[in-house]
Amino acid sequence: MVTMSTAPKIWTRETGLVEKRDLWAAMKRGFRGRCPRCGEGKLFRAFLKTADNCAKCGLDFTPHRADDLPAYLVIVIVGHITVPSILWIETNYTTPVWLTFAAYLPFTFFASLALLQPVKGAVVGLQWALRMHGFDDNPPDGIPPV
């Protein structure tokens, strides 16, 4: 059986003062591949590998859990651009099948590659701004790290 601490938490003005985190600014910085806190340090050390921490402000990036969300968002974004374009072109013009594949497949591939890193950066910025997955300064007691 797990016993929980019943010690009451005493709230003071100092415990309520936390760093203000602007959601849109953090997502914009992450989208550009920069640290969500300061906007100066690099967020990525490789194409999709986040750095361990920011070189400028020291923010630890290891607790982020972007997982598959960036890929899903890229599929949605590219799909909403590509599918209406394909439907419009195919209903208004008669194109040969080889031209269809030669145009749509590379566009979809390169658009997906181009958006994957910026979208992952925006997701990491979102997690930092909302204090998700270890980006909280005071994690709750009794929850092991992932």
Side-chain angles (χ1 to χ4, degrees):
M1 179 181 279
V2 177
T3 59
M4 296 186 63
S5 173
T6 58
K9 289 189 178 185
I10 299 173
W11 294 98
T12 62
R13 178 173 289 187
E14 287 76 28
T15 58
L17 294 176
V18 293
E19 176 186 14
K20 297 284 184 190
R21 297 181 179 180
D22 184 21
L23 176 68
W24 297 111
M27 288 180 67
K28 188 186 326 177
R29 291 172 183 157
F31 189 84
R32 291 189 330 231
R34 298 292 174 195
C35 171
R37 180 193 286 163
C38 67
E40 295 179 19
K42 289 187 175 184
L43 181 61
F44 296 100
R45 62 181 160 92
F47 181 62
L48 289 177
K49 296 281 186 184
T50 57
D52 292 332
N53 54 22
C54 177
K56 298 290 182 181
C57 69
L59 177 65
D60 184 21
F61 299 134
T62 56
H64 89 85
R65 297 287 178 258
D67 297 333
D68 291 335
L69 181 62
Y72 292 134
L73 293 176
V74 167
I75 289 169
V76 168
I77 293 168
V78 172
H80 277 83
I81 294 170
T82 307
V83 171
S85 302
I86 291 171
L87 289 174
W88 181 78
I89 290 170
E90 292 298 323
T91 56
N92 292 325
Y93 303 103
T94 304
T95 58
V97 174
W98 68 269
L99 182 62
T100 301
F101 285 123
Y104 302 145
L105 292 178
F107 172 77
T108 304
F109 177 73
F110 289 117
S112 298
L113 279 180
L115 280 176
L116 196 54
Q117 186 183 34
V119 170
K120 182 172 182 176
V123 168
V124 172
L126 172 86
Q127 291 177 351
W128 176 79
L130 297 179
R131 302 176 193 278
M132 297 169 63
H133 303 295
F135 282 121
D136 188 7
D137 297 329
N138 302 315
D141 297 332
I143 298 176
V146 177

